[in-house]
């Protein structure tokens, strides 16, 4: 699925300009699973905060961070 289709109709901070045409192969909350074609969703848990891993997810090739 194209990133633009996945996020269609959603209000976004930032831009999908560079990723709108990218193929999304995986959506995950586990930053260790991020590879090119992944959308990383930051969540807060009892002992972690996914926001702390957003930069690493982008460096690993995430199409987008939510």
């Amino acid at each position: 699925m194209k990133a633009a289709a996945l996020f269609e109709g959603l209000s976004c901070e930032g831009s999908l300009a560079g990723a709108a045409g990218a193929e999304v192969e995986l959506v995950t909350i586990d930053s260790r699973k991020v590879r090119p074609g992944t959308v990383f969703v930051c969540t807060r848990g009892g002992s972690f905060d996914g926001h702390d891993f957003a930069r690493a997810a982008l460096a690993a090739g995430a199409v987008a961070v939510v």
Side-chain angles (χ1 to χ4, degrees):
M1 166 180 279
K2 298 280 186 200
L6 182 64
F7 294 113
E8 184 177 344
L10 296 177
S11 174
C12 298
E13 284 186 29
S15 171
L16 281 176
E23 285 291 329
V24 175
E25 299 176 9
L26 175 69
V27 177
T28 185
I29 62 169
D30 186 342
S31 63
R32 298 169 295 182
K33 295 182 179 179
V34 174
R35 61 182 188 272
T38 301
V39 171
F40 177 62
V41 180
C42 301
T43 60
R44 287 190 177 107
S47 59
F48 66 90
D49 184 345
H51 297 86
D52 295 337
F53 303 98
R55 288 185 201 274
L58 290 169
V63 170
V65 173
V66 179

